[in-house]
Amino acid sequence: MKNPEKSGKVEWKPGNMLYPLPAVMVSCQREGEKPNIITVAWAGTICSTPAMLSISVRKERYSYDIIKETGEFVVNLVSKELVRAADYCGVKSGRDVDKFAQMRLTPCTLNHIKAPGIEESPVCLACKVVEVKHLGSHDMFIAEILGVTVDNRYMDEKNKFHLNQAGLVAYSHGEYFELGKKLGSFGYSVRKTDKKSAGRRKRK
Ligand SMILES: Cc1cc2nc3c(=O)[nH]c(=O)nc-3n(C[C@H](O)[C@H](O)[C@H](O)COP(=O)(O)O)c2cc1C
């Protein structure tokens, strides 16, 4: 809904309005205990070489101590088939429930770390914590990505991975969305072939 009666901009007090974001399912496990999943939206890519990402987690979360103690976690991307489970893992605590069991998810073994991934996720990133930064409400776990495990169903005969066919989900302002129409690809604004076809479209 866009209100045609109103124009201009209004300023709000500082807050988190950087959207859309990926809401990811972060799996973790202490040796000898059940594996757990926490949904995290305050997550991001922070370095290419070495491949690094960060997740920000409140100290009160059951997962916080597990990740701090083990120094490991797995970032599992969320597809539309997983979105209900992602929401559940974001409102229920591992202190009270076994989220893998409740959501009928399967822990899977990954290389490099002991924490399990989620078999049903299209991409699992095995992460090793390299730094914990206290920011305020959240601590930021800065981690190196030691391994990337992808679902074979999205690989074609030429071994090309079609991530955007996995029905990935974005989180924006309290709501979940399935990614929709493709608008372009990296660098398309300056590519000759795209410019030509844009011109052809205009002339029609
Ligand atoms: C979409 C979504 C995003 C969330 N993002 C974060 C986050 O970035 N950091 C965080 O500490 N909690 C976040 N939460 C809340 C935790 O996932 C939630 O408190 C969860 O129950 C914690 O699980 P645990 O106690 O088993 O660790 C989010 C919840 C939802 C639904």
Side-chain angles (χ1 to χ4, degrees), residues 36-147:
N36 191 47
I37 306 168
I38 172 175
T39 298
V40 169
W42 292 178
T45 295
I46 53 169
C47 187
S48 305
T49 315
M52 291 173 86
L53 58 76
S54 74
I55 56 166
S56 289
V57 180
R58 284 185 186 263
K59 277 206 173 84
E60 312 78 279
R61 310 298 189 222
Y62 173 70
S63 306
Y64 178 93
D65 288 331
I66 303 177
I67 296 171
K68 188 112 188 245
E69 284 166 35
T70 60
E72 293 180 354
F73 61 89
V74 180
V75 166
N76 302 275
L77 300 194
V78 173
S79 60
K80 62 180 180 214
E81 289 81 11
L82 280 174
V83 68
R84 195 174 157 270
D87 185 66
Y88 180 88
C89 295
V91 292
K92 289 280 185 185
S93 178
R95 280 187 197 98
D96 310 314
V97 292
D98 179 338
K99 298 189 211 182
F100 270 96
Q102 287 299 317
M103 289 291 101
R104 296 176 197 277
L105 295 171
T106 321
C108 64
T109 309
L110 300 176
N111 291 331
H112 310 289
I113 62 171
K114 287 184 187 153
I118 302 173
E119 180 68 40
E120 290 78 6
S121 168
V123 178
C124 309
L125 307 172
C127 299
K128 188 179 168 53
V129 177
V130 292
E131 197 183 329
V132 185
K133 253 185 133 31
H134 177 65
L135 302 174
S137 58
H138 291 64
D139 274 9
M140 186 188 208
F141 290 95
I142 297 178
E144 197 172 327
I145 302 166
L146 300 185

Side-chain angles (χ1 to χ4, degrees), residues 6-21:
K6 294 194 175 185
S7 64
K9 287 188 182 281
V10 283
E11 189 181 339
W12 288 350
K13 64 177 171 39
N16 294 107
M17 280 300 284
L18 176 64
Y19 290 119
L21 295 168

